[in-house]
Amino acid sequence: MCGIVGYIGKRPAFPILLSGLKRLEYRGYDSFGFFVLDKDKDFLLKKTGKISDFEKHLEDDFLNKVNGTIGLGHTRWATTGVVTEANTHPHFDCQKNIFLVHNGIIENYKELKEQLINEGHQFTSETDTEVLAHLIEKYFQGNLEEAVRQALKKVRGTYGIAVISKKDPQKIVAAKLGSPLILGINNDEFLVASDSSAIVSYTRQVINLDDNEIAVLSPNNFFILKEKPIEKIDWDAEEAQKQGFSHFMLKEIFEEPEAIEKSIVGRTVLEQGLAKLGGLEQVLEQLKKVEKIIIVGCGTASYAAKVGEYMLEEYAKLPAKTEIASEFRYKNSILDDKTAVLAISQSGETADTLEAVKEAKRKDCLTLGLVNTVGSSISRETDAGVYCRVGPEIAVASSKAFISQLSILVLITVGLGRQREMSLVVGKKILEELQKLPDLSKKIFSQADYIKELAGKYSQYRNFYFLGRKYNSSIASEGALKLKEIAWKIHAEGLPAGELKHGQIALTDKDFPTVVICPSDSVYDKMKNAIEEIKARQGKILAVATEGNEEIKNLVDDVIYIPKTLEMLTPILSVIPLHLFAAYLGLELGLDIDKPRNLAKSVTVE
Ligand code: M6R
């Protein structure tokens, strides 16, 4: 959602805050703001729009004019209150002594605000955050951390906050509950941020704050109200650069072959047909006793979950079910200590998924995580888990993380399958074919220019269906979601192909094309039925089919070929052209595919 960064040390804070916020812009880009404490002249700036646009118009000597060495920055994704400068963080108290940035939602802000107004406080914004500044003002008696502690006792909701007070000036106080917050430690300077991308250029030594912890950073040291180990970020600043690509979205799609490789390397024992997932070793005995697995996630992660469900039922013979995390929490599923709940999340911070994990724990389930961001809330909340290991995903829409999630679900299927009835031969075959995918997937990129041309050709349409069946039915959903997200002038829907005839086909005509995912697999003939139904209504069809299928050319308008692989592995290949198609179509429409309208990378509110 929103992004936070704070700096305290000996260097001018502003350039560090600016570069940190630019890296956090993917978390929210409605507006941004800074506060830098300076003994001569404090600096407060709030702007709507994107930081990159602001930076373009910065005068050359602007950076030199802001000298303070303690400061805060914030990039906002609006939740409470429209996008205005007044609603932009940092927020402050009546006397402009306390400055605060916040990520999360204060659920009881209305009652707190009413109470504070009755006590004489004057508000300048519509946000929930501002109550925090006034509450801290109310409790402030010379010691900032104590005032923060008192204030936080009054609030209900989630927060990651960083606060500065002009009356207790040599410190930043940071606190968290339910929203991510990390500290960065670099000799005699300290940073605080909502995620590591903001600070990785300055330090890789970090501490992940836990819920209800308060940290106090000063120019020479820091303390937390509890002893915590220092951890190491496992990727470097280079990985968070565009590296010659015009957009992170394109770069990350082009990294998909490498994402498969990174996800599986060192995690297979081919001769024994086994998956070796270090993060699950401590729960191997418990996994043997599991009788049912529920996979939870949101958006793209939920589509990966659905593919995993099909793999686990077919190959591990384990009853599996996908639940949208936001539904799972409230629907009161029948769970017990023989149920494992696997949470899939790129960010590891998605509030709906995190809450689903907590609910599963309350019901005695074994909780597992499949997460990309090391040290994130979901990775810490679950009993055990597997990391994607694909480095930071910066574009708001997910791509390489999805490919990684699918690849690791194959490993989990083999792991759980071999604990059950899966034979050595089958385990070995799946792993052998999986290991071929990095190379096979690279072949798809040789059609990148052709896919770009197709994107140009189809850019005249405003509605699309995406159809797939069995393993590829949720790839249809992923293809449609990606198109909506990054080419947001277009409406798209993903459907299990068999559903078309049950009503959806009413919309099909010459102006409503369909993308059909039809590899040569056990449901290919059924997919042909759908193709014929669409053609009978003059619908245009773009097919994703298996190399060597010449027949398909006569049935549809355009074909993108993917290499042949096992049926269960086809989603890992078929989704690649769909990601490329969406990205090129977004670019064709002149859109910023890294920062789609209305979206935030990590959705840390329910
Ligand atoms: O970080 P997560 O994987 O938990 O995020 C889940 C969804 O919010 C995310 O996949 C979303 O659907 C993306 N915008 C997809 O591109």
Side-chain angles (χ1 to χ4, degrees), residues 298-301 344-348 350 353 396-398 405 481-482 485 599-603:
C298 302
T300 285
I344 304 185
S345 173
Q346 187 288 128
S347 61
T350 300
T353 313
V396 165
S398 189
Q405 290 158 0
L481 177 68
K482 210 72 350 158
E485 286 186 303
L599 303 189
K601 179 71 179 163
S602 131
V603 185

Side-chain angles (χ1 to χ4, degrees), residues 139-158:
Y139 292 111
F140 187 81
Q141 290 187 339
N143 179 289
L144 182 59
E145 60 269 29
E146 183 51 27
V148 169
R149 207 172 66 82
Q150 295 293 342
L152 292 179
K153 280 191 202 164
K154 302 289 171 199
V155 304
R156 222 176 41 240
T158 57

Side-chain angles (χ1 to χ4, degrees), residues 447-462:
Q447 297 172 81
D449 286 343
Y450 167 60
I451 296 171
K452 198 176 190 173
E453 263 174 50
L454 288 175
K457 174 173 170 185
Y458 282 84
S459 63
Q460 58 177 300
Y461 300 105
R462 288 295 166 269

Side-chain angles (χ1 to χ4, degrees), residues 71 78 86 118 120 178 195 212 273 307 321 440 458 463 490 499 523 572 579 582 606:
N118 289 338
D195 81 51
N212 296 309
V307 178
K321 195 164 163 211
L440 292 183
Y458 282 84
N463 292 290
I490 292 174
E499 279 294 285
V523 286
I572 303 176
H579 282 170
E606 265 196 88

Side-chain angles (χ1 to χ4, degrees), residues 173-209:
V173 174
K176 119 167 190 80
L177 178 67
S179 299
L181 207 61
I182 61 167
L183 308 181
I185 294 136
N186 188 23
N187 299 321
D188 52 0
E189 59 184 3
F190 300 95
L191 295 109
V192 56
S194 42
D195 81 51
S196 44
S197 49
I199 60 176
V200 70
S201 327
Y202 301 100
T203 181
R204 290 168 76 181
Q205 311 292 323
V206 295
I207 291 177
N208 285 292
L209 276 192

